[in-house]
Amino acid sequence: MGTPGEGLGRCSHALIRGVPESLASGEGAGAGLPALDLAKAQREHGVLGGKLRQRLGLQLLELPPEESLPLGPLLGDTAVIQGDTALITRPWSPARRPEVDGVRKALQDLGLRIVEIGDENATLDGTDVLFTGREFFVGLSKWTNHRGAEIVADTFRDFAVSTVPVSGPSHLRGLCGMGGPRTVVAGSSDAAQKAVRAMAVLTDHPYASLTLPDDAAADCLFLRPGLPGVPPFLLHRGGGDLPNSQEVREGRNSNTKHHQRKEFQAFQVGGRKGAFSRSLGGATLSWLDEWPGSGLKVLLPSTHSMSSLCPPCAGTAEAL
């Protein structure tokens, strides 16, 4: 088990699953996915695997596509991993529960400690769980209930676990994600902003926040590869899909300057005074080395369409 504050996103392996043709049959609509271009999805899936392996130096494990599991590529819903522990989830949709079988076997083969959910009243989708490096937030949504959140807390006892109400059809990580060790990125919708405000009330840690025009752009993964000399990256939707959010992420919109740095005075978080929170400047990356980590970590991409790698968020961030 990792220790609190050991860091965010350092990993040695990546587990992905191929895109089946059945994913283009409309099955994704129930999970809030847009209409799918199968050829594009399969092409992006190949690009994703190549970048994870070649640019980040991760050991890539790929499960074959299964036509009976159209949403199988969404591996982020099937497990919550921290340190040497993997909590196998219990997806809300009964049709998706067989997806965990192949994931469980792969994680067992890696030597992780497997925790199962035995309570039939619990539902838990992994993309409702946001790990910040210091604590967990679990979205209470259509997909995840209180009992599922309680099991996350029981499994990862070394970390604080807080629940965040999620409105609408999204998962929590469909509204916000980690753009860096202490930076939350969130969409601009009412649901996303309500989630961020709830997190700000619940946390005892200081974070910066960056609002993006598109909720989908906030579904990102901050990666710190375990190999020395490999810089951290942000895995996110391609800029061509969401150009407005890409401009904000890179600090190119009219409201921010690319190299602007800004400091915020101490602010209230969870009823306490937080430390100074400094926004991210496009030219400064030294903050990425604050939380070193080690050991085996497994990356489970949450969506097949996240195919771009870039340096972490360069836009101006505000205190959360």
Side-chain angles (χ1 to χ4, degrees), residues 18 22 33 39 44 56 61 71 92 128 133 158 166 175 182 189 197 200 228 240 246 248 288:
S22 55
L33 298 179
E44 288 184 338
L56 298 185
L61 309 174
L71 298 181
W92 173 83
D128 268 324
D158 289 341
V166 177
L175 302 174
R182 296 181 181 178
S189 70
R197 288 195 294 270
Q246 183 71 0
V248 175
L288 295 172

Side-chain angles (χ1 to χ4, degrees), residues 138 141 194 305:
V138 182
S141 67
K194 286 179 180 177
S305 60

Side-chain angles (χ1 to χ4, degrees), residues 6-224:
E6 75 163 359
L8 175 70
R10 188 178 295 279
C11 49
S12 56
H13 293 69
L15 178 64
I16 61 177
R17 173 177 266 149
V19 180
E21 294 183 4
S22 55
L23 184 56
S25 65
E27 294 287 343
L33 298 179
L36 181 71
D37 181 331
L38 180 63
K40 180 180 178 182
Q42 292 175 333
R43 182 171 61 253
E44 288 184 338
H45 175 81
V47 171
L48 172 63
K51 289 184 175 180
L52 292 173
R53 181 176 56 250
Q54 297 168 13
R55 292 191 62 182
L56 298 185
L58 302 180
Q59 296 187 44
L60 187 65
L61 309 174
E62 184 166 7
L63 300 176
E66 296 189 34
E67 296 301 328
S68 62
L69 302 175
L71 298 181
L74 307 183
L75 290 182
D77 283 329
T78 61
V80 178
I81 302 172
Q82 166 55 31
D84 62 357
T85 298
L87 171 61
I88 304 300
T89 65
R90 189 170 186 270
W92 173 83
S93 171
R96 295 198 62 191
R97 290 174 190 165
E99 294 175 20
V100 307
D101 296 337
V103 173
R104 179 192 299 108
K105 176 63 166 56
L107 298 180
Q108 285 176 332
D109 290 346
L110 287 174
L112 296 182
R113 182 174 75 91
I114 304 298
V115 177
E116 303 277 359
I117 295 180
D119 190 339
E120 294 185 355
N121 294 317
T123 61
L124 177 66
D125 274 15
T127 46
D128 268 324
V129 182
L130 177 64
F131 180 60
T132 71
R134 294 188 166 194
E135 61 191 316
F136 285 92
F137 292 100
V138 182
L140 299 181
S141 67
K142 169 184 175 181
W143 319 99
T144 297
N145 62 16
H146 277 280
R147 183 61 187 129
E150 289 174 349
I151 293 173
V152 174
D154 289 341
T155 302
F156 303 105
R157 292 178 177 269
D158 289 341
F159 295 89
V161 177
S162 303
T163 57
V164 178
V166 177
S167 57
S170 294
H171 294 83
L172 178 61
R173 278 167 46 200
L175 302 174
C176 55
M178 296 304 294
R182 296 181 181 178
T183 300
V184 177
V185 293
S188 60
S189 70
D190 288 343
Q193 292 301 303
K194 286 179 180 177
V196 170
R197 288 195 294 270
M199 291 163 60
V201 171
L202 293 166
T203 186
D204 287 327
H205 301 287
Y207 299 99
S209 67
L210 179 67
T211 298
L212 302 175
D214 307 287
D215 285 1
D219 184 2
C220 58
L221 290 170
F222 172 73
L223 304 177
R224 301 183 67 196

